[in-house]
Amino acid sequence: MSNKQENEGLKRRSFLKYAGAGVAVTALAVAGCKKSDNHMPNPEDGEYFGSGDIAILNYAYALEQLEAAFYTKVAESPYSGISTQENSFFTDIRDHEIAHREFFKAAIGGSAIKGLEVDFSSINFGSRESVLATAKAFEDLGVSAYNGAGRLIQDGKYLVLAGKIVSVEARHAALIRDLISNGSFADNTVVDMNGLDKSRSPGEVLEIASVYIKTKLNVKDLPHY
């Protein structure tokens, strides 16, 4: 086994350990479910997400790919003047996002979309302000995406999985907001007067994320509201 394979295996095992045994069961359920999705799309139409719960899982997988790619870039090219503590924070977040990405990839199996080509040309990775603003946007978007997708999931086991991951994403969002402005982790731009976090539909999320995704996506059968 190559070092790369060993590292990816360790990441998947690490995530399964911290996410809980219920996630491992869900992974097996997803792997079995993929056989029922026999749609054969035209590759020229873009990366096909599938339909039903498989499409929702691919939707989450696409967002985790985007976040993992962003934080990997941040870790590879730390912004000017970054503190040891902030560098450690970003490294931890990167590892979480890679674990999420690799988990979805393994769980969805043959029905998983391919690796996405990203475009971060609008981000100044040498600027703390630019990196934190983008991290805030990604984390808030991710939390709202999971919140919005929950109502579209048909299988309760997948909802459990989404709940485990969105809680981690919310921790990231709170940390990033406090790095920007201490005490702003739950301001009224994301939490409403009822104490509820914002949610977005898949269409809204993908429209926002499209700025950073170069790969053509085929989401014609992605559940929506």
Side-chain angles (χ1 to χ4, degrees):
M1 178 182 293
S2 68
N3 289 335
K4 181 179 180 180
Q5 290 173 318
E6 289 179 354
N7 289 338
E8 290 182 348
L10 286 171
K11 289 171 185 173
R12 284 193 289 271
R13 289 195 294 274
S14 176
F15 177 58
L16 290 173
K17 181 178 179 180
Y18 95 75
V23 174
V25 173
T26 301
L28 294 176
V30 175
C33 180
K34 72 181 190 319
K35 296 179 181 179
S36 64
D37 188 3
N38 296 318
H39 186 79
M40 297 297 291
N42 184 343
E44 294 183 359
D45 292 337
E47 284 299 313
Y48 180 59
F49 278 39
S51 60
D53 285 347
I54 289 296
I56 294 296
L57 295 172
N58 266 319
Y59 165 59
Y61 177 40
L63 296 178
E64 297 297 349
Q65 285 191 52
L66 184 62
E67 288 187 304
F70 169 72
Y71 286 110
T72 295
K73 180 67 175 178
V74 172
E76 289 175 349
S77 306
Y79 50 77
S80 177
I82 190 170
S83 68
T84 300
Q85 184 179 51
E86 287 189 4
N87 191 51
S88 177
F89 287 152
F90 279 114
T91 300
D92 285 344
I93 295 176
R94 176 203 63 189
D95 291 346
H96 293 166
E97 302 298 1
I98 289 176
H100 293 170
R101 181 196 69 196
E102 292 303 302
F103 171 74
F104 276 114
K105 180 180 179 180
I108 305 171
S111 293
I113 59 173
K114 295 179 181 178
L116 302 181
E117 184 179 1
V118 299
D119 179 5
F120 293 146
S121 59
S122 62
I123 305 169
N124 180 1
F125 285 93
S127 163
R128 181 178 187 271
E129 182 179 4
S130 178
V131 168
L132 288 178
T134 307
K136 173 177 172 290
F138 279 164
E139 295 300 344
D140 287 349
L141 183 66
V143 173
S144 67
Y146 278 102
N147 288 344
R151 72 179 73 178
L152 301 173
I153 297 174
Q154 298 177 354
D155 193 317
K157 294 188 292 295
Y158 305 154
L159 190 59
V160 171
L161 170 61
K164 288 177 179 290
I165 294 181
V166 71
S167 61
V168 177
E169 299 292 351
R171 291 174 188 269
H172 295 169
L175 171 62
I176 296 299
R177 282 175 165 273
D178 268 10
L179 289 178
I180 295 173
S181 178
N182 187 43
S184 65
F185 66 94
D187 63 34
N188 59 14
T189 64
V190 288
V191 179
D192 66 21
M193 61 184 298
N194 296 312
L196 301 177
D197 213 318
K198 179 181 293 186
S199 66
R200 290 187 174 95
S201 69
E204 292 174 313
V205 170
L206 291 175
E207 182 177 359
I208 295 171
S210 66
V211 175
Y212 305 101
I213 299 175
K214 296 176 68 175
T215 305
K216 184 178 180 180
L217 306 179
N218 180 351
V219 295
K220 69 182 186 68
D221 294 322
L222 176 66
H224 63 278
Y225 55 88

